[in-house]
Amino acid sequence: MANATSQSAPTEAQIEALVVMRIIKHASSTFPTTATGCLVGMDVGNQLQITNSFPFPAAVPDPSAQQDSYHTPDPSTLALAAPRAKSNVTYQNEMVKLLREVNVDAQNVGWYMSASMGNFVSAGFVENQFFYQKAADEKSLALVFDVSRSSAGGVNMKAYRLSPSFMAAYKEGKFNTESLQKSNLRFQDILLELPLKVHNSHLLTSLLHTLPNAPPNNATLPFPTSLASLTHNPDLTPTPLVPNFDALDLSIDPFLEKTCDLLLDSIEAHTTEQNNFQYWQRATQREQTKVSAWQVKRKAENAARTAAGQPALDENEWTKLFKLPVEPSRLEALLVGRQVEQYARQVDGFGATVSGKMFGVRGSLLPGNEA
C-alpha cells in the first residue's frame, strides 16, 4: 500500500457520491453479513479525498479449521478478517496497479465496512484499522456504513481513525493496569471521528448544470432566436428544494427500542469483563497472602540458622513455589466501553429528535395548530 505524501494526518475526509452509492449497493447485497472493501483516492493537504472503491473477495476459511463441524467460521467474521488477509493484500496491490495504468487515483486511503445498528467496535475492526494506519503513516481511515439505520431513507456513514495514543498502546501490546495508568488511556480515546463530506464529481456536476427544468404548466419552450440565447436560458435555473415531510412524523424512531436492547447487552458484556478483572484481583490477593506468610516463615528460619551459625536459605525461592495469576488484557473492556458509548450516543440522538417533536406538538408549534 502506498504511503501518503503529506507529513500531517488529514483532519477531514471527502467522498464522491458515486463511491457512496457503490458502498451502499455492496453492503445492502450482503446484509446481514458484513461487507468490506478498499478505498482509493488522494491525500491533498489536510483532506483525504475518496474517489473510488472496490470490494474484497469473499474470504475462504482455512481447510484445516473445517474439520470441526461445531466451530464453523462465521461469514461476518471471515469478511471482517478480509482486509488484512495476505491474499487480499496482494489483490489490493494488483487493483491499485491496474487503476494507476488507466490514470485513476490509485492511492490506498483506507477501507470500509458495513454494520448494523452501530455495532462495529470490535477487536477485528481495531486490528484492521491498525494494519492500515501502520502501513500508511497513520493517515488511512475506516468508513462505517450502517445498513439498518440507513434503511429508513437517510445515509448513515461515519469516518474513523485510531487515535495516536491508542496506536502507541496497541503497538506495545500491553493493556494491563500499570500501562493504562501510565498512558492515561480511556475508552473515549480509542477512535477519532473525522468530518465526512459527500460531493459529486466535476463531470457529474457539469452534467447536472446542463439539465433544464421542466417547462412551466407543461408548455412548450420557444425555439432560440440566436446562439446567445442558448447560454442565457432562464429555464436553466436550479430546481427548488422539494419539501421533506419526514420531519413532521411524530412516531417514535423504530430503531430506538432495538438500540436500547443492544445497549443493555453491551452493559452486560462490560459487567462480565469487570467480574473477570475482579476475580483476578481476588486470586492475586490470595496468592500474595500465601507468599507473605511464606516469606515471614523463611525469615524466621534464616534468623534461627544465623544464630546457629548455619548458612541462610534463599528468600526468593517463593518465585519457584508460587505462581501469581496473569492479569487479563483490558483491551476487550476498553472496546466494550467504547461500544456502550456508541449506543448511548445513538439513543441520545433518537431521544433528542423525538423530544423536540413532542415539545413542538405540546406547544402547538406545528402548522395548523395555532390558537
Side-chain angles (χ1 to χ4, degrees), residues 102-327:
V102 295
N103 199 22
V104 177
D105 297 339
Q107 178 182 332
N108 197 321
V109 296
W111 65 291
Y112 70 86
M113 68 167 292
S114 63
S116 177
M117 301 302 301
N119 185 14
F120 68 92
V121 183
S122 62
F125 173 84
V126 170
E127 191 170 353
N128 287 339
Q129 185 57 25
F130 177 81
F131 173 78
Y132 273 85
Q133 286 189 213
K134 183 180 178 182
D137 278 341
E138 302 188 2
K139 298 176 183 179
S140 298
L141 57 81
L143 280 183
V144 180
F145 172 67
D146 198 318
V147 183
S148 299
R149 295 186 60 187
S150 300
S151 61
V155 177
N156 188 276
M157 184 176 292
K158 304 289 185 180
Y160 296 99
R161 179 187 292 128
L162 297 179
S163 64
S165 58
F166 185 81
M167 283 287 296
Y170 196 86
K171 186 180 301 182
E172 187 179 359
K174 294 182 180 180
F175 287 94
N176 50 29
T177 304
E178 181 181 357
S179 62
L180 292 181
Q181 290 178 348
K182 184 183 299 184
S183 62
N184 197 21
L185 184 65
R186 307 171 301 165
F187 66 87
Q188 297 96 332
D189 304 327
I190 297 178
L191 297 177
L192 297 176
E193 183 175 352
L194 277 68
L196 183 62
K197 298 180 180 179
V198 181
H199 75 107
N200 291 325
S201 63
H202 298 301
L203 185 61
L204 181 57
T205 303
S206 302
L207 175 63
L208 294 176
H209 280 293
T210 60
L211 295 178
N213 293 336
N217 298 326
N218 296 326
T220 58
L221 293 176
F223 286 101
T225 57
S226 62
L227 185 61
S229 62
L230 291 175
T231 58
H232 300 283
N233 192 343
D235 295 302
L236 296 180
T237 54
T239 306
L241 295 177
V242 179
N244 184 8
F245 297 101
D246 294 337
L248 303 180
D249 187 9
L250 301 180
S251 61
I252 298 178
D253 199 306
F255 300 116
L256 179 59
E257 181 180 358
K258 180 62 177 177
T259 304
C260 290
D261 293 338
L262 294 174
L263 176 60
L264 294 177
D265 294 340
S266 297
I267 293 176
E268 291 180 359
H270 188 268
T271 303
T272 302
E273 292 295 328
Q274 291 296 106
N275 292 337
N276 294 337
F277 181 72
Q278 292 174 1
Y279 175 80
W280 168 81
Q281 287 180 320
R282 292 192 297 268
T284 303
Q285 185 64 32
R286 288 194 298 266
E287 292 298 322
Q288 288 179 346
T289 302
K290 296 178 182 178
V291 170
S292 299
W294 183 91
Q295 289 176 337
V296 171
K297 183 179 178 180
R298 177 54 61 92
K299 289 181 179 179
E301 292 179 358
N302 286 337
R305 292 175 68 90
T306 302
Q310 298 177 353
L313 300 176
D314 184 12
E315 295 186 357
N316 294 326
E317 192 178 356
W318 67 269
T319 57
K320 302 178 182 179
L321 302 176
F322 300 95
K323 186 177 181 181
L324 296 179
V326 180
E327 181 180 356

Side-chain angles (χ1 to χ4, degrees), residues 65-73:
Q66 292 182 344
Q67 298 175 359
D68 190 356
S69 59
Y70 295 98
H71 297 84
T72 304

